[in-house]
Structure formats: C-alpha cells, structure tokens
Amino acid sequence: MGLVQAVAGSIGGVLADQWKDFYTVPEGLPATAALFAAVPRGTNAGRGSNTKGSSNIITNGSKIVVPEGYGLLLFQDGAITGFAAEPGGYEWKSDDLNSQSVFAGDGLVSSLIKQSWERFKFGGQPGSQQAAFFVSLKELPDNRFGTQSEIYWNDGFIGTQVGALTRGSYTLKIVDPILFVKNFVPAAYLQTGQVFDFTDIDNAAAGQLFNEVVGSLAPAFSLYTNDPDKGNRITKLQQDSLGFAKSLSDAVEAGYQWRSDRGLAIVKTAIVSIEYDANTRELLKTVQRADALSGSRGNSNLQASVAAGIQSAGENGGAAGIMGVGMATGMVGGIGSLQQPVAPAAPAAEDPVAKLKKAKEMLDLGLITQTDYDALKAKTLGL
C-alpha cells in the first residue's frame, strides 16, 4: 500500500506540474518589504487554475512578471542561479528534469516517466528545489535610530569634544542583491510566505543593523563636522539629509562593511532631534556670541555695550565706576580698539622757565623790545 500511495502521489504531482504558472508579487506587502517569494497565479490558457503543482518546482514555460523597482532572484537547490533587474515578463527555462513541461514542448511520455521515477525515489517529492524571490531595489523608508545616552566626538570647529543625544530615521537601499541574500538574509526568510522587512521588530538581522547604526553615529558626526566642505558646523546637520547620510554610510562601511559585504547602503537621513549636553550648549552659546560680534556688526554692538556700561557706571559709581569700565575694556583691547573717532590730544603745557629763557635770548638778539619781554614775563608768571 505504501508503494501504491507513493506512486499515486507521484503521478498526481507530475500531472499537476505540467501546467504553466504565472508568478508575480504577493498582495498586501508593506512598503518596507525587502525580500519575499514570488507567488503563482497560474491558469491553463483560461481553462482553470493549477492548484496541485509542487510548491518547490517551477515548470518550464512559466511566466514571471518583474514590476518596476524590483529585481528577481532564481534559486536551484538553495543556490542562486540567476538574477534579473529589468522590469517586464520572463519565461522560466531550465534543463533540470523536474522543470520540464508538456506545455513547454518537452513531450508527455518522457516528462511523465522520468519525473515519476525521480519522485518515487524521493517519496513522491521532486528531487530538486526551485524558487523565485523578488528583492526590492527601491529606497526602503522608516529605518529608525536613536541613542539612550550621549554620544561624543571631537568637533573641528569648536576645537574640543562635544556630546549629544539624537534620534531620527534613514532610507536604506539594497545595492547588491546577491551579496545581500548570500551574506546577510537568514535562511528562515528564504521560504514561501516569509517577508524580510527591515522595520520588523522581530527581525533579529534588522535589529543588528539598528545597533550598528547607533554605534556609527559618533564617527559619522565626527566625519561630518570635521569636513571643511561642510563648513565644520554641527548646526548644519539637520538641514543636510544627503550630506549626513553619506557620512553615516561611510561610517557604517568603515565599521561594519555594509556595502562591500552585505550590499546595503544608507541613502538619506532625517534627524528629528539633537539634544546637546550642558557643556556643549555653553560652547555653542560662546560660538554664537563670537559670530554675532564678528565684523562691522560686532564692532557696532560692542561700542553700544561699552557706551551703555560707561553711562551706567557714571550714574552709579562716578569716576571710580568709569575707571572700572576702562579697566574692563582694557582687558579686551580697550575702548580705543572700538575704531571710534578720537579727538586730538591737547598739547602739553610749556615750561615757564624755558619760555622766559627763550624770550630773553630773543631780547638780547634785538628781536623783541624790553616792553615785549616785560609783558610776556608778566603773562607767564601770572603777575
């Protein structure tokens, strides 16, 4: 009885595998789906559906439709045997015994007998496994990151270490589907009905990527803020999604070889928030003040501040207060450094003895009269 059942099952499966199948993308996929099996929607020239064919055999002549934004991976006994990235319809062709079909012109008797023999040896199951998987070639959104504690990096502009909490998201792209499947996707997802989704919280492989991104944030911030082409400003991070995405992609590549080993790349980032620690906030305030006090605008602001300080000191402390302001301004370059016009200094008072001596010489030389000399002497001595 067991032999009859095996043969009966074998023959039944062989007959069902003669139908040509139509494979396409399953319905109801999330926008973040990265890898999933092609599903058959087969009909025999409109005369009915193929519902009894073996689930791990694709018959010759079957059509597979590849939509825009997806690639097609073909598997034979667990190994990748083909890949198509161009959208359109493809016809399955294989020299494998279990792929032959009468609808592909392979002959009824030959295919029935040979397949039945192979299936009998495998307990009524085909002696080969074939599968087709779609892989997304689009940007996959909503991959989130966030830090629970501050990350630190050396900032080129501020000239010291800074720290912050940050959170945001990035888009991910599969740039090499062969590497992605061979080196990263767990075998559990290479099954019909399974969907590899980077945003699935139960996907351990996706969770590993999250941890690696968080571990790469500090190097990425350092790469960005120490790049002269970016202006060395951490305040530009949130406005430069592409620039920071490149820094983050370079950081994960350096640390974890995403592109070269896994065929993955970060395309865009969206930083939702950056919360700097207390020391960094104070440093940023100092930088903002320095920016505000630079150039002609800073000179005007500083002049106004000093003038207000002198007025306040004069009202509250008199000359001593004004002297204190003078000492304070001297520490930062003095009031004179404000580039304000200064009136010419009054000439120093002339020595009266020297002045009279000079007048006596003029009298002796006959240049002035005695009367002139007496008048100048009285004036000089205040007589």
Side-chain angles (χ1 to χ4, degrees):
M1 291 295 291
L3 181 60
V4 172
Q5 289 178 343
V7 172
S10 175
I11 294 297
V14 170
L15 290 174
D17 282 337
Q18 306 309 306
W19 297 74
K20 291 183 180 179
D21 293 325
F22 180 82
Y23 287 80
T24 186
V25 174
E27 297 178 351
L29 283 173
T32 50
L35 181 74
F36 44 87
V39 294
R41 298 177 185 173
T43 60
N44 179 16
R47 293 193 295 272
S49 298
N50 178 9
T51 60
K52 297 181 180 179
S54 300
S55 60
N56 55 354
I57 289 297
I58 302 176
T59 53
N60 269 346
S62 296
K63 180 175 285 188
I64 304 178
V65 176
V66 181
E68 291 280 358
Y70 292 93
L72 177 67
L73 284 166
L74 304 180
F75 290 81
Q76 175 82 31
D77 297 330
I80 298 175
T81 58
F83 175 70
E86 293 294 326
Y90 292 84
E91 185 177 354
W92 178 276
K93 287 290 186 182
S94 174
D95 295 331
D96 184 80
L97 177 65
N98 296 291
S99 294
Q100 295 179 4
S101 168
V102 293
F103 294 130
D106 297 319
L108 177 61
V109 176
S110 174
S111 61
L112 282 173
I113 293 175
K114 291 180 180 179
Q115 289 185 57
S116 297
W117 173 246
E118 292 297 320
R119 296 187 187 204
F120 172 78
K121 291 192 299 184
F122 288 89
Q125 296 295 318
S128 181
Q129 290 184 334
Q130 299 163 336
F133 279 79
F134 288 109
V135 59
S136 177
L137 303 179
K138 304 176 182 181
E139 286 185 44
L140 298 170
D142 205 30
N143 301 282
R144 306 191 179 206
F145 62 82
T147 57
Q148 295 182 345
S149 58
E150 287 87 356
I151 57 174
Y152 293 91
W153 70 94
N154 292 322
D155 188 270
F157 179 75
I158 297 180
T160 188
Q161 187 182 74
V162 297
L165 292 166
T166 184
R167 61 186 180 91
S169 64
Y170 61 91
T171 62
L172 190 62
K173 192 168 186 178
I174 301 170
V175 294
D176 190 330
I178 306 297
L179 283 178
F180 173 63
V181 172
K182 280 182 172 290
N183 295 344
F184 189 69
V185 177
Y189 289 96
L190 299 177
Q191 306 288 335
T192 302
Q194 297 293 319
V195 176
F196 187 96
D197 189 336
F198 289 109
T199 65
D200 184 0
I201 60 175
D202 295 324
N203 186 338
Q208 176 64 26
L209 293 182
F210 171 86
N211 293 333
E212 291 176 0
V213 167
V214 172
S216 302
L217 284 173
F221 276 48
S222 181
L223 284 173
Y224 187 93
T225 59
N226 288 285
D227 183 353
D229 293 336
K230 304 293 190 303
N232 298 123
R233 294 300 180 101
I234 57 178
T235 52
K236 290 185 177 180
L237 280 168
Q238 290 173 276
Q239 293 83 37
D240 189 5
S241 63
L242 291 177
F244 182 66
K246 184 180 184 307
S247 297
L248 185 56
S249 186
D250 290 345
V252 296
E253 176 65 19
Y256 304 101
Q257 292 76 52
W258 274 27
R259 182 183 289 269
S260 56
D261 283 357
R262 299 170 179 172
L264 298 173
I266 293 173
V267 182
K268 296 183 182 71
T269 57
I271 298 179
V272 177
S273 68
I274 301 178
E275 299 176 13
Y276 300 105
D277 63 11
N279 292 336
T280 303
R281 288 196 297 270
E282 289 301 318
L283 288 171
L284 285 174
K285 288 180 181 178
T286 302
V287 171
Q288 289 172 346
R289 291 192 193 100
D291 287 345
L293 296 177
S294 63
S296 58
R297 178 186 296 178
N299 186 54
S300 299
N301 290 340
L302 191 55
Q303 287 181 19
S305 298
V306 172
I310 292 174
Q311 180 180 359
S312 176
E315 293 173 352
N316 299 323
I322 296 175
M323 183 178 297
V325 172
M327 292 177 64
T329 55
M331 293 174 64
V332 293
I335 297 177
S337 65
L338 300 180
Q339 302 174 2
Q340 190 167 339
V342 179
E350 190 174 356
D351 183 8
V353 175
K355 187 175 183 180
L356 290 176
K357 184 178 178 181
K358 186 175 180 180
K360 183 65 170 63
E361 291 176 354
M362 295 174 66
L363 175 63
D364 294 339
L365 293 173
L367 298 176
I368 60 174
T369 64
Q370 185 65 41
T371 303
D372 294 332
Y373 174 78
D374 294 337
L376 180 59
K377 178 180 178 181
K379 182 179 180 181
T380 301
L381 298 177
L383 301 176

